[in-house]
């Protein structure tokens, strides 16, 4: 007597589709471990055999297309950790990462890109470059692109909530002269050329918040490194006078700014409260330790890989715009609980 999936489902108290996905080892199925084991035990006990020849799914590998050089990736822990998250998730879901294609240095031909099951795009790519790549392969996931297309998936950190929370907390402590040091991004085109196209998202949130709360905008945008942070805070204080709080768009910028402030005998965590983004390992060892937002780059990378797999499997016919929440890690440079 032939045992069917429906009979196993009835005995296990789950749907037939759940039984089918468990027996076919679907990596995206979210069920309890006990449920998986129960279904497999029932199938084994009843000597279940498929009534048709099962075709084990074999997917083409995934490729990463990035605007970053290998040198920049190695020097940038944020993007390095995102790529690590992608690779760790690929091992979990049984997908292979074929290669990292670096826009501007690698030749992207149509047959190169179309051979992959899906593409994960990282770094700062122009809208035109993204659309060019989409015409070659429709299974695309954008990572921290801050560009939205109705027909393309995306995964990005939540800059809005954390930036607003930092500003609200600083204001609640009576800080009125809140400055912001941001970064200017360069969008890379398909041919490898680039142009300075846009301010960072946190800059936009800062400008909007300051206007809504009738605060004086004290802002400087430049590069993303420590040297830029040092020079920009120096110029900003010279042009706009003293400040009592500072938010920077990256830990690297914060390090440069803090160096200059300490040279002026300004006490971090007292005279000026400082908060940043990235939460790199070493910021907890600064003097004083730096408050910073952990953007969960590993989670961003793993979520991008999962969405790429969903596209590969054709599980949905709509597109996801996923936002990964960040977490503010408070330390001595700005700790609201110790200041109230």
């Amino acid at each position: 007597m032939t045992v069917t999936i429906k009979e196993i489902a009835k005995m296990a108290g789950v749907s037939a589709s759940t039984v089918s996905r468990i027996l076919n080892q679907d990596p995206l199925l979210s069920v309890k471990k006990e449920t998986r084991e129960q279904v497999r035990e029932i199938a084994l006990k009843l000597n279940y055999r498929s009534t048709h020849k099962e075709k084990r799914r074999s997917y083409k590998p995934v490729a990463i297309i990035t605007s970053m050089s290998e040198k920049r990736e190695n020097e940038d822990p944020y993007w390095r950790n995102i790529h690590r998250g992608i690779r760790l998730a690929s091992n979990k879901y049984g997908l292979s990462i074929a290669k990292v294609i670096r826009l501007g240095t690698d030749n992207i031909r149509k047959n190169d890109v179309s051979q992959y099951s899906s593409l994960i795009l990282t770094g700062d790519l122009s809208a035109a470059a993204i659309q060019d790549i989409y015409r070659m392969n429709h299974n695309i996931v954008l990572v921290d692109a801050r560009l939205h297309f109705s027909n393309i998936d995306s995964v990005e950190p939540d800059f809005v909530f954390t930036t607003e929370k930092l500003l609200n907390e600083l204001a609640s402590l009576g800080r009125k002269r809140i400055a912001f040091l941001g970064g200017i991004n360069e969008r890379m085109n398909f041919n490898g050329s680039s142009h300075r196209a846009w301010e960072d998202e946190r800059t936009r949130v800062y400008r909007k918040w300051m206007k809504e709360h009738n605060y004086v905008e004290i802002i400087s945008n430049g590069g993303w490194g420590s040297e830029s942070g040092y020079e920009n805070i120096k110029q900003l204080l010279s042009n706009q006078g003293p400040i009592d709080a500072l938010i920077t768009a990256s830990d690297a910028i914060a390090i440069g700014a803090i160096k200059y402030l300490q040279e002026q005998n300004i006490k971090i965590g007292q005279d000026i409260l400082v908060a940043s983004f990235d939460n790199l390992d070493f910021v907890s060892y600064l003097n004083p330790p730096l408050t910073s937002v952990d953007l969960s780059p590993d989670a961003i990378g793993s979520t991008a890989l999962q969405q790429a797999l969903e596209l590969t499997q054709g599980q949905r016919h709509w597109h996801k715009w996923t936002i990964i929440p960040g977490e503010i890690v408070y330390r001595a440079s700005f700790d609201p609980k110790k200041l109230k």
Side-chain angles (χ1 to χ4, degrees):
M1 180 177 176
T2 302
V3 178
T4 67
I5 283 180
K6 287 184 179 180
E7 291 172 317
I8 297 174
K10 185 176 181 180
M11 295 178 67
V14 297
S15 68
S17 63
T18 297
V19 171
S20 176
R21 294 178 69 181
I22 289 174
L23 296 179
N24 284 298
Q25 302 180 34
D26 186 340
L28 293 182
L29 177 63
S30 178
V31 295
K32 294 181 179 179
K33 181 180 178 181
E34 294 79 7
T35 302
R36 290 183 185 273
E37 292 177 349
Q38 182 187 22
V39 168
R40 288 168 181 160
E41 287 176 3
I42 293 172
L44 182 62
K45 183 178 179 179
L46 298 179
N47 196 29
Y48 170 76
R49 293 289 183 274
S50 176
T51 56
H52 62 281
K53 186 177 181 180
E54 294 284 354
K55 292 185 178 179
R56 185 174 179 82
R57 291 185 175 183
S58 178
Y59 299 112
K60 297 177 182 178
V62 177
I64 298 172
I65 298 179
T66 182
S67 65
M68 293 173 291
S69 66
E70 190 171 359
K71 181 177 183 294
R72 181 188 165 185
E73 182 183 337
N74 289 333
E75 294 174 347
D76 190 332
Y78 174 68
W79 286 108
R80 188 168 67 244
N81 289 338
I82 285 179
H83 285 185
R84 181 182 67 182
I86 294 171
R87 290 188 174 89
L88 289 175
S90 71
N91 294 333
K92 176 182 178 181
Y93 295 124
L95 276 177
S96 63
I97 303 298
K99 64 185 302 185
V100 176
I101 302 171
R102 301 190 186 279
L103 208 62
T105 58
D106 293 326
N107 185 18
I108 303 178
R109 301 187 303 274
K110 182 174 182 179
N111 59 346
D112 283 338
V113 175
S114 62
Q115 68 179 306
Y116 302 113
S117 62
S118 53
L119 305 172
I120 299 177
L121 275 55
T122 66
D124 300 318
L125 279 69
S126 69
I130 293 169
Q131 290 168 340
D132 285 339
I133 295 169
Y134 176 80
R135 282 190 281 270
M136 302 175 185
N137 189 323
H138 288 355
N139 290 341
I140 289 178
V141 181
L142 303 178
V143 176
D144 195 3
R146 277 139 357 235
L147 290 172
H148 285 159
F149 301 85
S150 61
N151 55 351
I152 297 178
D153 273 34
S154 67
V155 183
E156 52 191 61
D158 187 356
F159 288 134
V160 176
F161 176 80
T162 47
T163 304
E164 288 180 344
K165 184 176 181 181
L166 288 172
L167 289 164
N168 287 330
E169 289 177 336
L170 289 169
S172 72
L173 294 171
R175 303 290 166 147
K176 300 294 185 181
R177 299 275 295 171
I178 306 173
F180 182 85
L181 296 183
I184 297 293
N185 295 280
E186 292 187 354
R187 293 284 191 193
M188 182 169 285
N189 299 313
F190 190 77
N191 62 4
S193 63
S194 61
H195 58 281
R196 293 164 64 92
W198 56 294
E199 291 181 329
D200 180 70
E201 177 73 5
R202 287 154 287 194
T203 303
R204 184 191 64 79
V205 176
Y206 171 82
R207 291 189 190 279
K208 181 173 181 289
W209 190 95
M210 299 298 277
K211 183 177 181 180
E212 290 175 349
H213 291 79
N214 295 315
Y215 277 41
V216 176
E217 184 178 290
I218 309 170
I219 187 170
S220 178
N221 286 317
W224 289 91
S226 297
E227 183 179 348
S228 177
Y230 184 96
E231 293 299 330
N232 285 348
I233 193 67
K234 179 180 179 180
Q235 184 177 13
L236 185 148
L237 293 178
S238 175
N239 294 338
Q240 302 197 44
I243 60 174
D244 54 21
L246 173 66
I247 298 175
T248 69
S250 77
D251 289 341
I253 294 174
I255 289 170
I258 288 172
K259 184 177 188 298
Y260 178 78
L261 293 171
Q262 290 178 330
E263 288 175 356
Q264 308 308 306
N265 296 316
I266 297 172
K267 295 181 180 179
I268 309 300
Q270 298 178 38
D271 301 332
I272 290 182
L273 304 181
V274 180
S276 183
F277 284 80
D278 287 340
N279 194 36
L280 303 180
D281 292 339
F282 61 81
V283 299
S284 63
Y285 298 100
L286 298 176
N287 185 22
L290 177 63
T291 289
S292 190
V293 179
D294 189 332
L295 297 171
S296 302
D298 282 338
I300 293 172
S302 63
T303 301
L305 192 283
Q306 182 173 336
Q307 289 186 202
L309 180 56
E310 291 174 357
L311 293 173
T312 297
Q313 292 182 338
Q315 290 190 2
R316 52 184 166 83
H317 302 289
W318 63 93
H319 290 275
K320 288 183 178 180
W321 296 351
T322 304
I323 296 177
I324 304 297
E327 178 186 5
I328 303 173
V329 182
Y330 294 100
R331 300 187 180 94
S333 72
F334 167 41
D335 190 340
K337 291 181 180 179
K338 293 183 178 180
L339 291 167
K340 288 182 178 180

